[in-house]
Amino acid sequence: MKKKIQSIVYILFILITFFALVNAFKSYQNPLSIYENPLVWFALIGFIAVIVLKEVVSFIATSKITEIENEKAGIIPEDPNLWIKKLLVKFTRSKSIDEEEDIVLDHNYDGIRELDNSLPPWWVYMFYATILFAVVYLIRYEIMDGATPEMEYQQAVAEARIEINKYKATSPDVFDIANLELLTDEKDLKRGKAVFNLNCASCHLGDGGGSIGPNLTDQHWILGGGIKNVFNTVYNGGRDGKGMIAWNKTLKPEDIAKVSSYVISLGGTTPAKAKEPQGEIWVDETVKVEEVEVEIEKTEEEINGNTVKVEIEN
């Protein structure tokens, strides 16, 4: 009676769970998505676990009954692990203790005698494999001049850069810090001002005059001026322990570029309450180099012009 009740409960569980899973698969758009429908996975795992557990219990019970019946009949069952033992003997060629007398060598070292065992097949096969590997390696890298791991790495990096450049070319909205430039468009500066008023004005004041943070309208900079330095300061934060926090987790790179451009546009303005200058006067070295190059070009033109005049006068 007890077994019948257990069987009925088991069958009812299987049927109810099966129909529940079928309805779940029909109802949900993505029934196997563990994030959207975790209950479906719990039901499915439970359904499979119960079936597996039932079969394991049945197998153990059947084996136990068979073992008891064999004991009553005086039948000695075959060792269930016999196939494993046979496999080990075949794979290692080991000799039993009874067979060791056949492979004992004649020489004797202070009572220590040596067995003439053959090498295990697994060791022999591995040795052959190393020889084969060495031959292939020699031909591949020494004779055919194959690519080394370093060369393969460089090739992979080059291919990745090509893919990145292709992606950037087909995605104009992707922000590239390497090509960062000062933004002067009114729309960009307007957005930068909005970001500044929302996140930066509390420390630098709305006009950039400085409060907790430094004055942004003078020529003095603590971590360097220019769009790239200002962007890096906003992106990575100021000085450790006493500077501005890093905004790269809060603001998008596009907005950091716009607010950095807006900060630079504040230079030269007159805030209501300007804080004392901090840092050092920053001079854009690239601009100085460009001015020098322009002066050199003008001087060359004047020299050439004077030379032409001299030649005409002559």
Side-chain angles (χ1 to χ4, degrees):
M1 185 66 181
K2 186 177 180 180
K3 290 183 177 180
K4 289 183 178 179
I5 295 175
Q6 290 177 350
S7 299
I8 292 172
V9 172
Y10 174 71
I11 294 172
L12 288 175
F13 172 81
I14 295 297
L15 292 174
I16 293 172
T17 308
F18 178 76
F19 284 114
L21 288 171
V22 170
N23 290 329
F25 274 86
K26 290 181 179 179
S27 303
Y28 298 121
Q29 185 176 0
N30 298 315
L32 293 178
S33 175
I34 193 171
Y35 299 106
E36 296 179 9
N37 307 299
L39 292 178
V40 175
W41 273 97
F42 291 148
L44 185 61
I45 294 172
F47 178 71
I48 296 173
V50 168
I51 294 176
V52 172
L53 183 62
K54 174 67 170 58
E55 295 301 323
V56 169
V57 172
S58 299
F59 176 78
I60 293 174
T62 304
S63 301
K64 194 67 177 176
I65 293 171
T66 304
E67 183 180 346
I68 294 172
E69 291 177 350
N70 289 335
E71 287 181 0
K72 289 181 179 180
I75 301 173
I76 300 175
E78 186 179 354
D79 187 359
N81 297 323
L82 183 61
W83 67 275
I84 298 178
K85 295 179 180 178
K86 291 181 178 179
L87 181 63
L88 289 175
V89 170
K90 184 178 180 181
F91 204 56
T92 59
R93 290 183 182 174
S94 62
K95 298 287 185 180
S96 64
I97 297 177
D98 298 334
E99 299 174 324
E100 285 186 355
E101 290 295 333
D102 300 332
I103 58 174
V104 173
L105 297 177
D106 295 334
H107 49 260
N108 188 321
Y109 298 97
D110 295 332
I112 300 174
R113 304 182 69 182
E114 183 180 359
L115 296 177
D116 188 19
N117 277 317
S118 59
L119 289 172
W122 65 266
W123 193 94
V124 176
Y125 297 150
M126 288 186 63
F127 180 68
Y128 292 154
T130 57
I131 295 175
L132 180 62
F133 175 82
V135 172
V136 174
Y137 187 92
L138 178 66
I139 296 174
R140 177 73 174 85
Y141 293 102
E142 298 298 332
I143 298 176
M144 300 182 65
D145 196 20
T148 63
E150 183 179 358
M151 295 168 63
E152 292 177 352
Y153 168 76
Q154 297 295 341
Q155 183 179 356
V157 170
E159 291 175 355
R161 286 175 178 170
I162 293 174
E163 293 297 327
I164 292 173
N165 292 332
K166 286 183 180 178
Y167 176 75
K168 290 180 180 179
T170 56
S171 304
D173 296 333
V174 175
F175 185 82
D176 187 6
I177 298 178
N179 299 325
L180 180 66
E181 294 181 356
L182 179 66
L183 303 175
T184 57
D185 187 74
E186 183 179 354
K187 182 180 178 180
D188 295 330
L189 294 178
K190 186 176 180 181
R191 172 62 182 173
K193 182 178 180 181
V195 174
F196 181 89
N197 290 333
L198 182 63
N199 301 282
C200 312
S202 58
C203 293
H204 298 280
L205 299 184
D207 56 7
S211 176
I212 299 175
N215 184 357
L216 302 176
T217 62
D218 55 32
Q219 295 181 343
H220 292 74
W221 296 89
I222 298 175
L223 298 175
I227 183 61
K228 292 188 176 181
N229 288 326
V230 175
F231 179 93
N232 184 65
T233 303
V234 178
Y235 190 87
N236 296 315
R239 295 166 294 174
D240 294 337
K242 56 181 178 180
M244 180 178 61
I245 64 170
W247 289 93
N248 52 20
K249 303 297 183 183
T250 307
L251 300 176
K252 296 179 179 179
E254 296 87 346
D255 286 339
I256 295 179
K258 292 173 183 178
V259 74
S260 300
S261 298
Y262 175 73
V263 167
I264 293 177
S265 71
L266 294 175
T269 59
T270 54
K273 295 181 179 180
K275 190 177 180 180
E276 291 296 324
Q278 293 177 267
E280 300 178 353
I281 296 178
W282 184 82
V283 179
D284 192 348
E285 297 294 336
T286 59
V287 174
K288 291 177 65 177
V289 171
E290 291 176 357
E291 291 177 352
V292 170
E293 290 178 349
V294 170
E295 291 294 332
I296 292 174
E297 290 178 357
K298 288 182 179 179
T299 305
E300 289 177 348
E301 290 177 357
E302 292 174 358
I303 292 173
N304 292 335
N306 290 335
T307 304
V308 171
K309 289 180 180 178
V310 172
E311 290 178 354
I312 292 173
E313 290 177 359
N314 291 339

